[in-house]
Amino acid sequence: MAPRRWLLLLFLAAGVLQSLAQPDSRGFISIDCGLAEEASYVDDTTTLAYISDAGFTDAGMNYNISAEYLGFSRRGHNLRSFPDGVRNCYTLRSLVSGLKYLIRAGFLYGNYDGLNRPPASFDLHIGVNFWKTVNMSTWGADQGNTATVEAIIVVPNDLLQVCLVNTGSGTPFISSLDLRPLKRTFYPQATAEQGLVMLARLNAAPVNKTGTIRYPDDPHDRLWYPWFDATIWAEISTTERVYGVGDDLFEVPWKVMQTAIVTRNTSKNIWFGWESLDAEPRDDDPSRPGYVAILHFAELQLLNASNGELRQFYINLNDELAYPTGFTPEHLVSNAIYDTKPSRHSGYNFSINATANSTLPPILNAVEVYYVIPSTNLGTDSQDGNSSDL
Ligand SMILES: *[C@@H]1O[C@H](CO)[C@@H](O)[C@H](O)[C@H]1NC(C)=O
Ligand SMILES: *[C@@H]1O[C@H](CO)[C@@H](O)[C@H](O)[C@H]1NC(C)=O
Ligand SMILES: *[C@@H]1O[C@H](CO)[C@@H](O)[C@H](O)[C@H]1NC(C)=O
Ligand SMILES: *[C@@H]1O[C@H](CO)[C@@H](O)[C@H](O)[C@H]1NC(C)=O
Ligand SMILES: *[C@@H]1O[C@H](CO)[C@@H](O)[C@H](O)[C@H]1NC(C)=O
Ligand SMILES: *[C@@H]1O[C@H](CO)[C@@H](O)[C@H](O)[C@H]1NC(C)=O
Ligand SMILES: *[C@@H]1O[C@H](CO)[C@@H](O)[C@H](O)[C@H]1NC(C)=O
Ligand SMILES: *[C@@H]1O[C@H](CO)[C@@H](O)[C@H](O)[C@H]1NC(C)=O
Ligand SMILES: *[C@@H]1O[C@H](CO)[C@@H](O)[C@H](O)[C@H]1NC(C)=O
């Protein structure tokens, strides 16, 4: 793991309606799948213009969801379903070859077919590379019954295909598809050979406990989900702006960095963890998905060093130091400690504990976890292919 300093650059731009299947002025493509051809609208919360998917795919049929599910975001109100063919694709054009992009697909079944039976699962591919199996039953009412699947990839050509693959467990459908350009330097773990699939992107101790932070607070329109547990952690926050200096690889929005969890007692650990997606018990098995974690820190309190005040902590993964020394976040400066290479374990338990000299409890402002997928052949136009063995 390595620390990085960074500079936060915010840019804001007004939503402009698009008439063509082209990225907008920010390079964003925002598709509301199943929207009538030529239709578009400006989303209230993000101010982004969403357009119909008619210019991106020839296959499938449009449906509206049932009225009882209409409470969720407008993007979920309609969808495109693909009853015919094994593999149906969206083609996103006019991309910048070699640039890193965030790509996100949303799925809200909403009983669109009147059968009250969501598909058990179907697969998503990026080009011919397996992206993820979409299993609607793992996304419950607490996520608005909406499955959200996200990846960060380097796009090798000026076009990219996102494909829905029928695996015999129900009819694939899709509600929304977003493409957002990132900076080339961002997420160095994403390379031409390896993409990142999001497992978690968490905003610790948010002011709004139900609000997800995204565009315009995040100029790159990542989704930062609320994460807190008042029974375990205390919360600290600042109204001052949190900056980064230098060469920033993540540009976490300051609204995310302004809040953090701390332990109630300096002697206690902050910890979080997850199980590997596969069930095999052997560590370092190359067929096991590799994970990378990115921990974001900024000091939010003004400490009096001459009074001996110090916040310093170790970051451990499965009881071993993940970063070689104690770490002290700088006041109102955002910094990240992150895996440069994926690691492969059956389970992951990160713990953050105060060093012996620390007078203040450990802190955590935000965390991201991804697993890696091969991303060769992303740009190929070829039809059916086998998924990778991730
Ligand atoms: C979905 O609803 C919209 C607005 O109510 C309507 O214009 C459209 O024709 C409907 N689409 C389908 C496929 O039923
Ligand atoms: C979908 O998820 C459910 C609940 O986690 C699981 O029981 C089921 O086996 C999964 N289905 C597929 C096809 O993966
Ligand atoms: C918190 O977020 C929810 C969901 O986005 C939103 O409806 C609500 O207005 C927000 N509350 C405040 C105080 O901003
Ligand atoms: C913090 O934890 C230590 C060790 O468990 C305990 O001795 C101490 O009383 C605790 N302090 C507070 C303020 O709870
Ligand atoms: C910091 O601590 C020193 C020593 O206790 C004290 O003299 C000084 O007033 C403190 N400064 C602030 C800003 O609290
Ligand atoms: C912090 O946690 C690590 C790993 O669990 C442990 O080896 C170390 O002794 C702890 N340090 C302190 C100061 O508690
Ligand atoms: C993770 O590690 C922390 C601190 O070492 C421990 O308190 C916690 O129980 C562990 N969690 C799991 C699921 O092993
Ligand atoms: C703790 O503080 C002492 C005295 O300032 C110093 O010698 C020691 O290196 C510090 N330990 C750590 C782990 O920073
Ligand atoms: C997929 O892999 C299987 C087994 O390796 C092979 O039989 C099949 O022909 C492959 N299909 C395609 C489309 O490459």
Side-chain angles (χ1 to χ4, degrees), residues 266-313:
T266 303
S267 68
K268 289 277 194 281
N269 299 350
I270 291 176
W271 70 268
F272 63 91
W274 67 95
E275 297 288 316
S276 180
L277 282 178
D278 60 333
E280 293 305 317
R282 221 187 87 218
D283 278 5
D284 297 321
D285 182 333
S287 71
R288 180 191 291 287
Y291 287 84
V292 295
I294 306 161
L295 284 64
H296 301 284
F297 301 103
E299 180 57 73
L300 304 180
Q301 292 174 339
L302 196 55
L303 307 184
N304 188 342
S306 55
N307 212 9
E309 287 186 325
L310 174 70
R311 192 190 313 274
Q312 187 187 50
F313 45 78

Side-chain angles (χ1 to χ4, degrees), residues 3-203:
R4 275 324 263 234
R5 298 245 156 106
W6 46 273
L7 176 69
L8 183 70
L9 295 170
L10 272 182
F11 58 88
L12 302 169
V16 179
L17 285 171
Q18 293 164 254
S19 54
L20 297 166
Q22 295 275 336
D24 69 10
S25 57
R26 305 166 201 83
F28 287 14
I29 297 177
S30 309
I31 304 172
D32 184 339
C33 306
L35 197 65
E37 198 170 343
E38 314 262 299
S40 67
Y41 61 87
V42 173
D43 176 64
D44 291 344
T45 50
T46 59
T47 68
L48 295 172
Y50 274 81
I51 59 175
S52 159
D53 59 356
F56 299 91
T57 185
D58 294 329
M61 292 162 70
N62 290 354
Y63 289 89
N64 288 331
I65 63 170
S66 297
E68 65 263 39
Y69 296 93
L70 287 179
F72 304 113
S73 89
R74 174 145 176 204
R75 281 179 296 294
H77 289 186
N78 39 256
L79 55 81
R80 189 178 288 257
S81 162
F82 299 94
D84 300 320
V86 171
R87 180 181 154 96
N88 289 287
C89 300
Y90 280 76
T91 304
L92 307 172
R93 298 176 197 280
S94 305
L95 310 186
V96 179
S97 165
L99 189 59
K100 213 164 275 183
Y101 283 87
L102 179 153
I103 182 158
R104 177 168 55 227
F107 309 86
L108 172 60
Y109 167 69
N111 195 23
Y112 76 86
D113 52 4
L115 299 174
N116 252 319
R117 201 175 59 235
S121 71
F122 51 87
D123 285 355
L124 288 180
H125 288 192
I126 302 177
V128 296
N129 287 88
F130 176 76
W131 178 4
K132 195 176 170 94
T133 296
V134 180
N135 179 345
M136 293 307 300
S137 60
T138 58
W139 274 274
D142 52 336
Q143 284 101 2
N145 298 304
T146 303
T148 304
V149 174
E150 212 186 274
I152 294 173
I153 51 167
V154 174
V155 171
N157 299 324
D158 60 356
L159 69 77
L160 185 73
Q161 286 197 311
V162 175
C163 304
L164 294 93
V165 179
N166 188 327
T167 52
S169 306
T171 301
F173 72 91
I174 183 166
S175 306
S176 65
L177 188 60
D178 292 336
L179 190 84
R180 310 288 183 240
L182 300 173
K183 293 183 182 167
R184 284 172 207 272
T185 51
F186 277 19
Y187 296 94
Q189 305 96 335
T191 63
E193 291 76 38
Q194 161 180 306
L196 304 177
V197 180
M198 192 184 81
L199 186 72
R201 186 183 300 115
L202 303 174
N203 173 18

Side-chain angles (χ1 to χ4, degrees), residues 184-305:
R184 284 172 207 272
T185 51
F186 277 19
Y187 296 94
Q189 305 96 335
T191 63
E193 291 76 38
Q194 161 180 306
L196 304 177
V197 180
M198 192 184 81
L199 186 72
R201 186 183 300 115
L202 303 174
N203 173 18
V207 173
N208 185 343
K209 298 292 187 255
T210 57
T212 299
I213 291 182
R214 58 177 297 185
Y215 190 87
D217 293 311
D218 187 336
H220 306 286
D221 195 31
R222 289 163 290 188
L223 302 180
W224 297 88
Y225 295 95
W227 184 46
F228 58 94
D229 186 342
T231 64
I232 309 175
W233 298 308
E235 303 187 348
I236 61 173
S237 64
T238 180
T239 53
E240 290 185 74
R241 184 137 167 200
V242 179
Y243 289 92
V245 286
D247 172 24
D248 175 14
L249 300 182
F250 303 103
E251 288 187 12
V252 182
W254 52 266
K255 200 167 173 184
V256 169
M257 295 306 293
Q258 274 180 326
T259 63
I261 53 171
V262 293
T263 56
R264 295 189 182 282
N265 186 322
T266 303
S267 68
K268 289 277 194 281
N269 299 350
I270 291 176
W271 70 268
F272 63 91
W274 67 95
E275 297 288 316
S276 180
L277 282 178
D278 60 333
E280 293 305 317
R282 221 187 87 218
D283 278 5
D284 297 321
D285 182 333
S287 71
R288 180 191 291 287
Y291 287 84
V292 295
I294 306 161
L295 284 64
H296 301 284
F297 301 103
E299 180 57 73
L300 304 180
Q301 292 174 339
L302 196 55
L303 307 184
N304 188 342

Side-chain angles (χ1 to χ4, degrees), residues 269 271 319 349-351:
N269 299 350
W271 70 268
D319 287 329
N349 186 351
F350 273 94
S351 77

Side-chain angles (χ1 to χ4, degrees), residues 312 314 355-357:
Q312 187 187 50
Y314 295 115
T355 66
N357 286 352

